[in-house]
Amino acid sequence: MTQVEKETTLYLGPQHPGITGNMMIELKVTGDTVQRAKTHVGYLHRGFEKLMEERLWMQCFPIVCRICVPEPDPNEENLARAIEEIEGREVPERAQYIRVMVLELSRIASYFLWMGGQAGSMGLYTMPQWTVGDRDYILDLFEELTGGRVYHMYIWAGGVRRDLPDGFAGRVRRVLDYLEERLTDYDRLFFQNALFLKRSQGVGVIDKDKAMEWGVVGPPLRGCGIAHDVRKDEPYEVYDKLDFEIITHEGGDIYARAMVRRREIEQSISIIRQVLDKMPGGPVHNPGPNPLKWKLPAGEAYVRTESARGEFGYYVVSDGSLKPRRIHVRGPAYVHGVSLLEKMLVGANIADVSVIMNSLGTCPPEIER
Amino acid sequence: MKNIKGVFLPFSALKFLGKKPHTVRYPLEKKKTAERYRGFHYNDIEECIGCGTCATICQNEAIDMIKIDGIEPKKGDSGLRPRVDNGRCCWCGLCVEMCPTGSLSLTDQYLQTTPDPESFLLIPGVDHPEYGEHKSFVKDDEIRLLDLQRVPMRELDGAERVKSFAEVVLGYMQEEARREASRCVDCAICVTACPDHMHIPEYIAAIADADDELALKYIYDNNPLPELCGKVCTRQCETVCAISHLGDPIAIRWLKRYATEQFPDPAVILNPKIAEPNGKKVGIVGGGPAGLSAGFYLALRGFDVTVYEALPKAGGMTFAGIPKYRFPEDSLDKQISYMEKIGVKIKTNTRIGKDISFEELEKRHDALFLGVGFHVPYRLGIIGEDLKNSIQAVDFLREINLGNKVDVGDKVVVIGGGNVAIDAARVARRLGAEVTILYRRRVEDMPADWEEIEGAEHEGVKIVPQGIPLEIIGKDGKVAAIKYGMAEMVPDPKGGRPRPKLIEGDEHTMEVTSVIGAIGQEADYSFLPERIKEKLEIERGRIKVNEYKQTTIDYIFAGGDTVNRTMDAISAIADGVKAVEGIERFLLGDKNK
């Protein structure tokens, strides 16, 4: 009997370098090769969807941002847009531009956090130091705009909560310029790093044909060379007025996904600059009824947003009462982090488990909600 | 090794070893928060009215309203203040957005390190008053969650109004009422201000919920004259409305009016349960709001109730004093017919002491309720008051409301600044006269409802403020002109409101055809026998009563203008409602005992 045939169970997590949040993976390994993987989630279930059924519509807004900690804004935007769709409320154009700016800033912030995690899971610890520091410049902008650094609670039904502070656009541009310049440093340290290339190219491959079948979205899908991006496919807010192309990369491996994200940082910077150039004046909020007596007309809506992790969807049902009948959140991490991951880990090296997981952009709080 | 570049490039990061860090060196250096930072709460205790809207909107249930030493409940202030549990708060700031007074804000303070969990309970403004210097997330002037603007009420045009006695206010349409009702935050600050403590938030919520029937049920629970209140109430509720602090108060009066207008016969909707007759008889002297209210609820509770009214119709001042363009007769009829359906017997044209003796009344009933009102006008006390065409507003209004003709000529001066004066002026205007109101103080001092003053001006009534009548000049025994002097306002040495002081030599004469005095009224107790008057404690024209409106004679209760100074219908209704409790205790004993 060879050692290879002896199967060992290895419990990875719930705390481990692969993710932001808690989630455990039960690995059956022979030697250092994973034979089977089983994900165990449930450490972060807070029951948000159910909680919202007991809250007034307005009270749902401070809740949804918690569904995804590193990138809360798509949640706020989705809930707001679903509600607006059901009640047919117009959103002022300026508010739509501001929303796009917020969404793209949060995408950059989220990618910076991913960069740190991806590099950290490979043992390159300078990167997290840098990315977390640089991400803070975006959080500073959020703090100035919304009053909160992580949980913004800024986008709400009818528009946004406050207009831009004086001189805000200039400060956004300065941060963008700085981050753009920093990308060269990141390239040298990480994206062109021989170690990174070695561990990412040809590792964690998603089959192009299987990708669609498995319901893969976001950078993992675009990393398979498939041009799918909600911002283009079903433009929301003012994305149809902005100039950008869907970024894809062939290969389906960790490297391809990394390159998609790396280039999308530049793309987001460009989008925000366009937003700042084109942003019209005017109001930023179209007021609705008194929140205490706000009854949404009976109806339902499904809206989706392209988040940093992929397609984010909200299914909102109103029975015409003061509170939601049902709000279902469709997060991309469930598909990637649970179903897909279990398949991808088969045959992987134990050391690559965290790397693969990180490359999918898994966010457990959003899986469990 | 194929990728030489990829091996050496990462070492370029070494150059950062020589660079200055960009992180904040805490605690040597403090992070400066942004202008809108959402940190701990601060509450401007003086501005806060304890409405609790912050606690209602808080989705974390982090806020509760508590009693604080030194802050007493008063009109328009519950006396409670919010307490925030910082262990639950998520600093979303919805409380700040919803605060109707703008007293609540979030500060730039965010550090609290303590092993004591109790210290996470913060009473903003009381604990850490220094946070007041650190306000950062405050209410925005333009972006609001609360709708501060009242749905405008449709009214007859000024030119159209003076042509007839048609009702001026047209009432809300269904959609308008729903929209107006939806502005309410359910804080119930209004309930304590209402003399009758009506279920205001409940009926407003019912209207917002499109359940007008429920609204009517709430209204009739402790007010049997909502038709009246919906039209002419002095609405003390609105003066304290939480929304009024930054915007227009909820149109509580118009919403009540809306609810009553939806149903031609309230009996069909309310289908009241009338208790079995208990054999006790109550006589009510005066069919005004106080008497009718007492009568209504007594009848519902099984008492045998008879109302004695001197005029041809019940309603008291609301029938004889309030002009028809404010309170049309059909509204009054609707109320009275509902009263009669309940079993209240109303004997009109029955004056006590003339048509029936007080002794007879005592013999017939187990308890009496006096709600006789103030119908005797104060005299002006100037020369020429007894000339022809020098009349009193209450007499004038009563004659007009009874359908009689009064010839006031084409130039009328009304003396006074209360609602009666305004009513008289607007009625005279409708008779085709040119009308001037002469008032001794400033317009802002007028006790009349500002809407009434505005309405009068809109209809072309001229107001001469700070004018004191000196003499009515007659010609052939008839009013020909009035002489008045201008006054300046001097501070009251006793600290009251400024007093008018006549300016020597600044006298004017105005040619008029009629002078209408409206400087107040008093009661007429001549119908009471001496033995009763002796026992009753009467202070400055008002009968003294206890909490249950019981006078010093145990079987006599009293209410309305007869006992209270506010001289409005809703206080009278409240008296009537309260007296029911008293009469029931007196005749049937305290059930709770």
Side-chain angles (χ1 to χ4, degrees):
Chain A
M1 178 181 143
T2 60
Q3 232 186 339
V4 177
E5 282 158 0
K6 192 186 173 200
E7 199 174 82
T8 318
T9 305
L10 182 68
Y11 292 97
L12 187 74
Q15 271 86 352
H16 57 95
I19 37 157
T20 47
N22 318 99
M23 172 178 160
M24 200 250 278
I25 311 169
E26 185 185 343
L27 300 168
K28 300 283 185 198
V29 293
T30 50
D32 63 355
T33 308
V34 177
Q35 299 299 338
R36 272 171 297 139
K38 179 96 187 79
T39 50
H40 293 293
V41 293
Y43 297 92
L44 282 169
H45 177 63
R46 291 144 296 170
F48 287 134
E49 291 175 353
K50 196 73 193 164
L51 282 177
M52 283 191 273
E53 289 171 19
E54 287 303 318
R55 273 162 177 72
L56 300 173
W57 288 98
M58 185 52 83
Q59 292 178 325
C60 295
F61 283 94
I63 288 190
V64 289
C65 50
R66 294 177 160 70
I67 288 175
C68 182
V69 190
E71 200 191 10
D73 303 285
N75 291 282
E76 296 179 12
E77 196 268 349
N78 264 343
L79 179 62
R81 194 145 49 86
I83 289 174
E84 286 151 8
E85 203 177 299
I86 292 174
E87 67 178 354
R89 204 192 305 186
E90 295 280 327
V91 180
E93 205 181 357
R94 183 177 173 81
Q96 296 192 29
Y97 273 95
I98 295 177
R99 282 180 179 186
V100 169
M101 180 186 74
V102 168
L103 288 173
E104 293 304 321
L105 279 173
S106 93
R107 185 187 316 278
I108 299 175
S110 182
Y111 281 161
F112 267 73
L113 210 59
W114 158 80
M115 273 202 285
Q118 185 74 79
S121 65
M122 292 177 178
L124 186 54
Y125 294 123
T126 310
M127 278 291 282
Q129 308 286 340
W130 281 11
T131 57
V132 167
D134 285 341
R135 172 176 169 262
D136 259 27
Y137 289 109
I138 300 177
L139 300 193
D140 283 345
L141 292 176
F142 276 133
E143 182 185 331
E144 196 187 339
L145 179 65
T146 72
R149 294 178 72 78
V150 176
Y151 292 137
H152 309 137
M153 299 152 183
Y154 178 65
I155 297 173
W156 65 11
V160 294
R161 246 169 115 170
R162 293 285 186 273
D163 205 344
L164 306 185
D166 286 341
F168 186 71
R171 289 189 286 282
V172 173
R173 282 182 206 274
R174 272 213 296 284
V175 170
L176 295 180
D177 291 346
Y178 166 78
L179 293 178
E180 198 174 41
E181 206 185 297
R182 283 286 280 158
L183 282 178
T184 325
D185 294 326
Y186 286 115
D187 282 344
R188 286 188 184 143
L189 179 63
F190 184 61
F191 290 103
Q192 295 171 2
N193 193 327
L195 186 139
F196 166 67
L197 297 178
K198 198 108 183 146
R199 291 195 62 180
S200 64
Q201 285 172 336
V203 182
V205 180
I206 302 173
D207 190 67
K208 187 172 181 169
D209 297 331
K210 289 273 179 198
M212 295 295 273
E213 194 183 307
W214 289 340
V216 177
V217 288
L221 184 65
R222 293 196 285 277
C224 296
I226 298 169
H228 172 84
D229 189 321
V230 185
R231 290 177 292 177
K232 271 283 177 207
D233 299 344
E234 198 180 85
Y236 49 95
E237 307 296 353
V238 287
Y239 278 111
D240 53 349
K241 294 180 186 158
L242 304 167
D243 182 31
F244 66 101
E245 292 304 322
I246 299 179
I247 289 170
T248 58
H249 204 280
E250 292 296 333
D253 54 7
I254 295 175
Y255 181 73
R257 296 194 276 279
M259 288 322 284
V260 167
R261 293 193 178 100
R262 160 70 183 77
R263 285 165 58 200
E264 282 185 358
I265 294 177
E266 284 174 309
Q267 184 187 54
S268 291
I269 291 175
S270 146
I271 290 176
I272 298 170
R273 283 181 180 145
Q274 291 177 51
V275 164
L276 294 175
D277 290 340
K278 290 184 178 173
M279 192 183 290
V284 296
H285 182 225
N286 177 11
N290 171 4
L292 301 179
K293 296 204 191 301
W294 181 16
K295 285 184 177 174
L296 206 61
E300 54 179 52
Y302 180 75
V303 294
R304 43 194 196 141
T305 310
E306 187 68 29
S307 79
R309 263 162 281 277
E311 184 181 320
F312 220 103
Y314 263 62
Y315 178 52
V316 175
V317 184
S318 167
D319 55 7
S321 70
L322 288 165
K323 293 167 183 174
R325 174 67 188 83
R326 176 81 168 102
I327 294 181
H328 176 73
V329 183
R330 189 269 183 212
Y334 183 78
V335 181
H336 299 166
V338 178
S339 330
L340 180 60
L341 183 72
E342 287 180 359
K343 293 186 175 71
M344 285 176 76
L345 289 183
V346 176
N349 193 301
I350 293 175
D352 284 338
V353 171
S354 294
V355 183
I356 291 172
M357 210 174 165
N358 223 306
S359 78
L360 296 171
T362 309
C363 178
E366 166 223 292
I367 295 174
E368 299 161 26
R369 303 185 284 278
Chain B
M1 174 107 22
K2 281 181 244 163
N3 189 359
I4 303 285
K5 200 177 147 205
V7 172
F8 285 103
L9 267 180
F11 287 96
S12 66
L14 286 171
K15 71 180 180 198
F16 285 89
L17 284 173
K19 289 203 174 174
K20 269 197 163 176
H22 56 175
T23 44
V24 176
R25 328 235 94 199
Y26 187 82
L28 298 173
E29 214 181 302
K30 290 257 161 60
K31 168 122 176 61
K32 197 176 162 351
T33 55
E35 247 175 74
R36 285 179 192 164
Y37 188 78
R38 300 193 307 256
F40 295 144
H41 291 74
Y42 175 74
N43 187 17
D44 203 325
I45 288 291
E46 294 302 315
E47 259 180 68
C48 179
I49 54 167
C51 68
T53 309
C54 46
T56 314
I57 196 67
C58 182
Q59 65 95 8
N60 295 310
E61 293 180 10
I63 303 181
D64 54 355
M65 303 298 293
I66 59 159
K67 177 87 196 73
I68 289 168
D69 290 341
I71 298 173
E72 292 308 317
K74 55 174 191 259
K75 205 172 152 188
D77 183 349
S78 70
L80 304 175
R81 292 296 179 264
R83 179 177 63 179
V84 181
D85 184 348
N86 280 340
R88 301 184 72 117
C89 177
C90 72
W91 291 280
C92 65
L94 278 186
C95 48
V96 175
E97 310 275 15
M98 288 291 287
C99 177
T101 62
S103 69
L104 204 60
S105 55
L106 297 177
T107 64
D108 60 8
Q109 300 295 301
Y110 58 92
L111 276 176
Q112 186 183 8
T113 319
T114 165
D116 173 21
E118 287 300 311
S119 71
F120 285 101
L121 293 171
L122 172 92
I123 303 167
V126 174
D127 299 333
H128 298 291
E130 74 279 7
Y131 285 178
E133 304 295 313
H134 294 272
K135 286 184 198 172
S136 60
F137 189 81
V138 293
K139 187 179 271 299
D140 194 282
D141 285 338
E142 279 159 30
I143 302 164
R144 293 187 184 283
L145 290 180
L146 296 174
D147 186 357
L148 299 181
Q149 262 169 8
R150 177 182 282 202
V151 176
M153 173 53 79
R154 290 167 303 114
E155 288 183 349
L156 274 188
D157 184 61
E160 204 53 45
R161 290 184 205 171
V162 292
K163 289 182 193 160
S164 73
F165 279 79
E167 205 179 353
V168 170
V169 175
L170 300 175
Y172 277 141
M173 305 289 275
Q174 191 181 61
E175 185 275 334
E176 291 170 322
R178 305 252 185 284
R179 196 145 42 92
E180 180 62 19
S182 300
R183 301 202 302 129
C184 174
V185 293
D186 291 348
C187 67
I189 288 279
C190 46
V191 178
T192 43
C194 174
D196 191 35
H197 308 311
M198 290 188 70
H199 310 297
I200 300 168
E202 287 83 359
Y203 71 71
I204 290 184
I207 293 172
D209 268 352
D211 193 347
D212 299 334
E213 287 190 15
L214 182 66
L216 198 73
K217 285 175 187 159
Y218 275 122
I219 290 170
Y220 268 96
D221 185 56
N222 58 353
N223 185 343
L225 303 168
E227 300 271 344
L228 168 73
C229 289
K231 290 182 174 165
V232 301
C233 185
T234 46
R235 60 199 154 82
Q236 296 171 45
C237 48
E238 289 182 28
T239 60
V240 300
C241 175
I243 306 293
S244 73
H245 288 259
L246 294 173
D248 306 330
I250 309 292
I252 301 173
R253 177 175 57 173
W254 298 148
L255 287 173
K256 182 158 53 237
R257 172 195 172 112
Y258 163 81
T260 58
E261 275 178 347
Q262 302 316 301
F263 308 100
D265 184 2
V268 176
I269 304 302
L270 301 168
N271 195 17
K273 243 187 21 215
I274 304 167
E276 286 294 307
N278 56 28
K280 300 285 181 189
K281 291 180 174 176
V282 182
I284 289 172
V285 184
L292 289 180
S293 302
F296 180 86
Y297 293 108
L298 285 170
L300 276 186
R301 295 181 189 198
F303 289 89
D304 179 357
V305 181
T306 312
V307 176
Y308 299 90
E309 169 59 50
L311 290 175
K313 190 177 260 189
M317 268 298 183
T318 68
F319 164 64
I322 299 178
K324 301 288 175 234
Y325 63 86
R326 282 176 70 197
F327 184 50
E329 207 163 341
D330 53 353
S331 299
L332 179 65
D333 292 345
K334 188 173 150 191
Q335 289 181 166
I336 293 171
S337 79
Y338 182 39
M339 295 269 165
E340 286 172 334
K341 268 186 202 171
I342 298 296
V344 180
K345 285 172 278 194
I346 300 175
K347 286 200 189 311
T348 52
N349 291 319
T350 311
R351 189 175 283 279
I352 309 298
K354 188 174 146 227
D355 303 309
I356 177 173
S357 71
F358 195 82
E359 285 72 19
E360 175 65 22
L361 215 56
E362 285 175 302
K363 212 184 291 169
R364 282 191 201 171
H365 303 288
D366 302 306
L368 292 174
F369 179 85
L370 305 181
V372 293
F374 276 25
H375 290 261
V376 181
Y378 287 140
R379 289 173 59 83
L380 294 170
I382 55 173
I383 305 166
E385 204 179 346
D386 296 321
L387 286 166
K388 191 161 180 276
N389 274 21
S390 163
I391 52 175
Q392 283 293 347
V394 280
D395 300 332
F396 170 58
L397 291 170
R398 183 174 58 241
E399 289 307 309
I400 295 290
N401 280 354
L402 285 170
N404 300 331
K405 277 215 158 62
V406 182
D407 181 18
V408 288
D410 55 7
K411 219 162 175 304
V412 172
V413 65
V414 178
I415 295 158
N419 278 325
V420 176
I422 304 281
D423 284 345
R426 292 176 76 179
V427 167
R429 190 81 189 91
R430 279 166 174 75
L431 297 179
E434 226 177 88
V435 182
T436 307
I437 291 176
L438 199 59
Y439 180 54
R440 56 210 292 259
R441 291 189 159 93
R442 297 164 298 182
V443 173
E444 61 262 41
D445 298 321
M446 282 185 150
D449 197 325
W450 61 268
E451 272 182 359
E452 289 298 311
I453 299 171
E454 255 183 29
E457 285 181 317
H458 200 60
E459 289 163 13
V461 172
K462 207 177 133 210
I463 297 176
V464 176
Q466 284 161 266
I468 299 178
L470 301 172
E471 186 187 343
I472 301 170
I473 302 160
K475 199 178 163 196
D476 308 329
K478 222 178 132 183
V479 171
I482 183 163
K483 194 161 96 182
Y484 63 94
M486 299 309 288
E488 57 181 342
M489 302 305 289
V490 293
D492 180 20
K494 282 182 209 150
R497 55 181 186 161
R499 296 157 156 264
K501 188 177 157 240
L502 211 55
I503 306 169
E504 285 296 320
D506 194 359
E507 288 178 9
H508 304 259
T509 308
M510 194 194 325
E511 281 188 23
V512 290
T513 51
S514 294
V515 175
I516 302 179
I519 58 165
Q521 303 85 262
E522 59 187 338
D524 175 8
Y525 296 124
S526 60
F527 69 95
L528 292 173
E530 280 308 315
R531 61 176 169 91
I532 297 284
K533 265 197 254 184
E534 268 166 29
K535 275 201 223 157
L536 279 183
E537 210 176 311
I538 299 177
E539 199 182 84
R540 293 168 76 187
R542 292 192 165 81
I543 300 174
K544 277 205 125 174
V545 289
N546 68 11
E547 170 188 11
Y548 293 104
K549 309 299 162 193
Q550 191 171 28
T551 64
T552 38
I553 300 173
D554 61 1
Y555 62 91
I556 298 181
F557 294 75
D561 293 352
T562 317
V563 305
N564 64 51
R565 272 171 209 292
T566 45
M567 305 273 286
D568 56 8
I570 188 70
S571 305
I573 292 170
D575 289 347
V577 171
K578 202 73 200 163
V580 171
E581 230 177 291
I583 292 170
E584 197 173 34
R585 275 164 182 252
F586 172 67
L587 293 181
L588 303 179
D590 191 350
K591 280 184 205 156
N592 299 328
K593 267 183 190 167

